[in-house]
Amino acid sequence: MAAVTEFEKTAYQYPAHKKSSKAAYAALLAYNALTKPMKGEEKSQWRSKAILSSLRFTNTYPQDPRVPAVLVKTSEELYANKDYLKASETANAYLERKGKKKKKLYITALTVYGYSQFELNQYEAAEDTYRTLLQQLNNKDKQYKAVYNRLAAAIYKQGENAKNAKDYKLASYHFLRVGKTTQIGRAHV
């Protein structure tokens, strides 16, 4: 615990120097080592602190080459903690970064963003993200079928919302799209 404190003090409290970002990243590594043997509530509390430290690292040192991986890992942890809004924002921060993206990180960020949008009842955004994600996956990928199912669910939810708003024409349009999507999905799976 003392190591985390010292690394963070070096990274954020002293005047900036060329090793500030290294100290901030070392704090993240120290959090991971510290929380590995922990269980239950203690682990949960320390992982929450680690998430805050990760977000601070990415905001303070956005040019550090480790930031993309930290953003994606943090978005996964936020999603696992059911903090869908923050998970979505963090995954999107990665997706909006300029420059070439590593395919694995890109796929993970798309997954977290799409799943978070679905949980936030943003079904149109989820649908768009699932479509982009499917373009990145091979149809033999183990994730492919699950994403297709989620795509159909996002379209269905749009139909439900239209039906609840008594816009039956729009609802039927979405429900028909579900059928078309699942037919196409079966052909690819």
Side-chain angles (χ1 to χ4, degrees):
M1 293 180 214
V4 169
T5 303
E6 290 306 314
F7 285 133
E8 287 187 333
K9 190 184 298 183
T10 300
Y12 304 113
Q13 292 178 8
Y14 296 142
H17 52 87
K18 66 181 182 179
K19 294 194 177 184
S20 295
S21 67
K22 287 182 181 179
Y25 189 74
L28 303 182
L29 297 176
Y31 273 115
N32 284 337
L34 179 68
T35 58
K36 246 181 200 152
M38 292 180 179
K39 302 266 188 249
E41 186 60 32
E42 181 185 32
K43 184 171 189 149
S44 179
Q45 289 174 350
W46 278 95
R47 288 310 309 152
S48 292
K49 290 177 184 180
I51 288 170
L52 290 175
S53 186
S54 295
L55 294 172
R56 188 174 188 188
F57 168 73
T58 62
N59 288 326
T60 305
Y61 305 105
Q63 300 309 317
D64 188 286
R66 297 167 288 209
V67 164
V70 171
L71 280 170
V72 173
K73 183 179 186 311
T74 304
S75 72
E76 288 180 293
E77 289 188 31
L78 289 161
Y79 183 83
N81 289 345
K82 298 183 188 314
D83 188 345
Y84 303 121
L85 181 59
K86 201 68 174 159
S88 175
E89 290 170 352
T90 306
N92 196 47
Y94 170 79
L95 294 170
E96 289 184 344
R97 285 180 65 87
K98 302 278 189 248
K100 188 168 170 50
K101 294 178 176 36
K102 292 183 179 176
K103 186 167 183 165
K104 185 176 181 187
L105 291 177
Y106 184 63
I107 287 171
T108 302
L110 281 172
T111 303
V112 171
Y113 184 76
Y115 281 37
S116 295
Q117 290 299 302
F118 188 91
E119 295 297 333
L120 294 167
N121 302 326
Q122 300 299 314
Y123 302 118
E124 190 174 326
E127 176 189 353
D128 292 343
T129 305
Y130 296 149
R131 289 187 187 283
T132 302
L133 181 55
L134 286 168
Q135 292 171 358
Q136 298 298 312
L137 297 172
N138 179 311
N139 65 353
K140 294 190 184 347
D141 189 299
K142 63 183 177 182
Q143 186 181 0
Y144 193 85
K145 185 177 181 180
V147 174
Y148 240 111
N149 289 338
R150 291 191 68 102
L151 171 63
I155 297 168
Y156 182 83
K157 288 292 195 177
Q158 290 174 65
E160 272 187 343
N161 287 346
K163 184 182 108 189
N164 292 340
K166 298 190 184 331
D167 187 343
Y168 300 115
K169 185 176 181 179
L170 182 59
S172 65
Y173 166 74
H174 287 306
F175 291 140
L176 288 171
R177 288 191 322 119
V178 172
K180 288 179 185 173
T181 299
T182 55
Q183 285 176 344
I184 292 169
R186 275 193 292 263
H188 288 94
V189 178

